[in-house]
Amino acid sequence: MSASGPDRHWMGRALRLAALAAGHTSPNPLVGAVVLNAAGELVGEGYHRRAGEAHAEALALARAGAEARGGCLYVTLEPCCHQGRTPPCSEAVLASGVRRLVVAMADPDPRVAGQGLARLRQAGLEVIEGVGAAEARRQNSAFLHRVTKGRPEGILKWAMSLDGRTALANGASQWISGPEARAWVHRLRARCDAVIVGGGTVRADNPLLTSRGQRSPEPLRLVLSRQLELPANAQLWDTSGAPTLVAHGPGAPGEARARLDQLGVERLELDHCGPLALLEALAARGCNRVLWECGPELAATALGQGCVQQLAAVIAPKLLGGLAARTPLGDLGLLAVPEACLQSGEGLQQLGPDLLWQLEINGNNY
């Protein structure tokens, strides 16, 4: 049997539930679930709130109780079939007595990868796959990227003037964008697991890099600095409200290492101190999405190493001028203008007096 209009309606509800936990479930995906009884009435729903807590299917089925028997379960991602921090959801589905399962997409995690759906089909359930698949893939793009590519999804964000400057020639950059745009950035940070800058940004701007309380715990603040040429009194060294990790190369001076250790700041030594090696290390820590808020050279390197999948450019109605003024990106090595094309994204959005342009990097698909 194929999907129906009601199937799309209820899957839409499950997707909206899943979105409520955005930024809180890593390394797990966002998942929402809805249960209807045999008469087609809503009897249970739920969403996965954070790693280690109950999965969406288990919550929805527990709330439905005996009313789930003979009914239908809608879930945005294939039920898991392995024992992790929580029991296999496929067994909870079978125990509930539902006769029909509608799922948006299969889970590419090698521990699942279609095995959950196969288990349920073998047990006699009717399984409909692919309802709301496009939206489910967009919603879990970060999880899908980490599982399939071995590194977190990256967003590169900057704020610039109408003439493409991110600072004046003397280095002054506060504030190019307005309060509405800055509030949007705080919300964006809250959807990311780590916010990355280079040593130059720490020296020039002394940033705080928090979501201003919109996420608890705050995202990891990460500084990539080969030689640890960093100021002694940066705001990032105060880890009472948000964690900080400094990644450096094997040649970083011992004195600089010792200073960070005395401050209680976590360090990570990378054999190849660059964006790709850093993201591979972050994937091992369970990060699904990172936000690059770095200077032009590190931003260009991150782009060149395939560490950026989305761009977010805030454009302010200001003219800064100056041939020596800083721009968002260093040399990308392009030889012809057509090489610079990007995929369309969410387009333009008004943020107070500023404009936000969100775009995808070519080849970002799963």
Side-chain angles (χ1 to χ4, degrees), residues 159-166 176 314-321 353-355:
M160 67 182 184
S161 63
L162 194 60
D163 56 337
R165 283 6 185 204
T166 59
I176 289 177
V314 175
I315 306 168
K318 294 180 173 72
L319 296 174
L320 301 187
D354 306 321
L355 289 177

Side-chain angles (χ1 to χ4, degrees), residues 3-19 30-36 42 44-47 56-57 72-79 100-106 117 126-137 139-140:
S4 64
D7 287 340
R8 288 184 282 274
H9 167 78
W10 291 115
M11 184 60 74
R13 186 181 182 98
L15 287 163
R16 290 191 295 274
L17 285 168
L30 297 168
V31 185
V34 171
V35 182
L36 307 185
L42 176 65
E45 60 185 8
Y47 64 95
E57 308 95 304
C72 180
L73 169 65
Y74 294 86
V75 63
T76 59
L77 191 70
E78 174 184 6
R100 187 169 183 261
L101 172 70
V102 181
V103 62
M105 62 176 292
L117 296 180
E126 178 192 355
V127 177
I128 305 296
E129 191 176 347
V131 179
E135 176 59 27
R137 283 193 293 270
Q139 188 176 78
N140 269 316

Side-chain angles (χ1 to χ4, degrees), residues 1 5 21 31 76 94-95 103 116 133 148 165 170 176 180 184 199 208 248 301 334 339-340 342 360:
M1 184 182 296
V31 185
T76 59
L94 292 177
V103 62
T148 60
R165 283 6 185 204
N170 66 2
I176 289 177
E180 294 88 350
W184 179 86
L208 188 57
H248 59 83
T301 302
L334 301 177
E339 297 178 44
L342 300 172
E360 293 184 358

Side-chain angles (χ1 to χ4, degrees), residues 329-349:
L329 293 174
D331 186 11
L332 295 176
L334 301 177
L335 299 177
V337 172
E339 297 178 44
C341 291
L342 300 172
Q343 292 180 359
S344 61
E346 298 179 29
L348 287 171
Q349 176 183 344

Side-chain angles (χ1 to χ4, degrees), residues 38-343:
E41 300 165 328
L42 176 65
V43 292
E45 60 185 8
Y47 64 95
H48 182 49
R49 295 175 181 272
R50 62 182 69 245
E53 295 190 11
H55 288 190
E57 308 95 304
L59 279 172
L61 291 168
R63 288 168 180 165
E67 292 187 84
R69 188 160 300 278
C72 180
L73 169 65
Y74 294 86
V75 63
T76 59
L77 191 70
E78 174 184 6
C80 63
C81 54
H82 64 281
Q83 177 70 49
R85 283 191 273 187
T86 59
C89 289
S90 56
E91 300 310 305
V93 174
L94 292 177
S96 73
V98 297
R99 301 307 305 159
R100 187 169 183 261
L101 172 70
V102 181
V103 62
M105 62 176 292
D107 187 344
D109 188 318
R111 296 171 298 174
V112 187
Q115 297 176 73
L117 296 180
R119 168 84 174 102
L120 296 172
R121 285 190 174 107
Q122 290 166 3
L125 267 70
E126 178 192 355
V127 177
I128 305 296
E129 191 176 347
V131 179
E135 176 59 27
R137 283 193 293 270
R138 282 193 296 271
Q139 188 176 78
N140 269 316
S141 63
F143 168 77
L144 296 174
H145 192 84
R146 181 182 61 79
V147 170
T148 60
K149 309 293 186 182
R151 55 184 182 270
E153 179 181 70
I155 302 174
L156 173 60
K157 163 262 159 188
W158 67 74
M160 67 182 184
S161 63
L162 194 60
D163 56 337
R165 283 6 185 204
T166 59
L168 293 170
N170 66 2
S173 62
Q174 294 182 339
W175 293 100
I176 289 177
S177 58
E180 294 88 350
R182 295 198 295 274
W184 179 86
V185 171
H186 298 154
R187 294 192 296 272
L188 176 61
R189 289 175 184 165
R191 295 193 292 110
C192 297
D193 301 308
V195 181
I196 305 173
V197 296
T201 298
V202 178
R203 291 189 294 271
D205 299 338
N206 191 20
L208 188 57
L209 301 181
T210 70
S211 72
R212 304 303 193 269
Q214 297 201 40
R215 169 177 167 154
S216 181
E218 287 282 352
L220 177 67
R221 302 175 300 181
L222 202 151
V223 181
L224 185 61
S225 175
R226 285 187 178 87
Q227 294 297 316
L228 295 179
E229 297 171 343
L230 300 169
N233 59 349
Q235 293 189 93
L236 297 177
W237 309 154
D238 179 1
T239 59
S240 58
T244 300
L245 171 67
V246 178
H248 59 83
E255 180 181 341
R257 298 181 191 219
R259 184 169 63 247
L260 289 174
D261 292 343
Q262 291 168 1
L263 291 168
V265 176
E266 184 183 3
R267 290 187 297 105
L268 172 66
E269 182 177 317
L270 298 172
D271 291 338
H272 303 284
C273 188
L276 186 57
L278 175 62
L279 292 199
E280 289 172 349
L282 289 178
R285 294 169 68 111
C287 289
N288 282 344
R289 178 182 285 121
V290 301
L291 177 62
W292 297 92
E293 292 199 50
C294 49
E297 295 306 319
L298 181 53
T301 302
L303 276 165
Q305 293 185 4
C307 296
V308 176
Q309 284 64 56
Q310 299 174 35
L311 300 179
V314 175
I315 306 168
K318 294 180 173 72
L319 296 174
L320 301 187
L323 294 177
R326 192 167 63 184
T327 59
L329 293 174
D331 186 11
L332 295 176
L334 301 177
L335 299 177
V337 172
E339 297 178 44
C341 291
L342 300 172
Q343 292 180 359

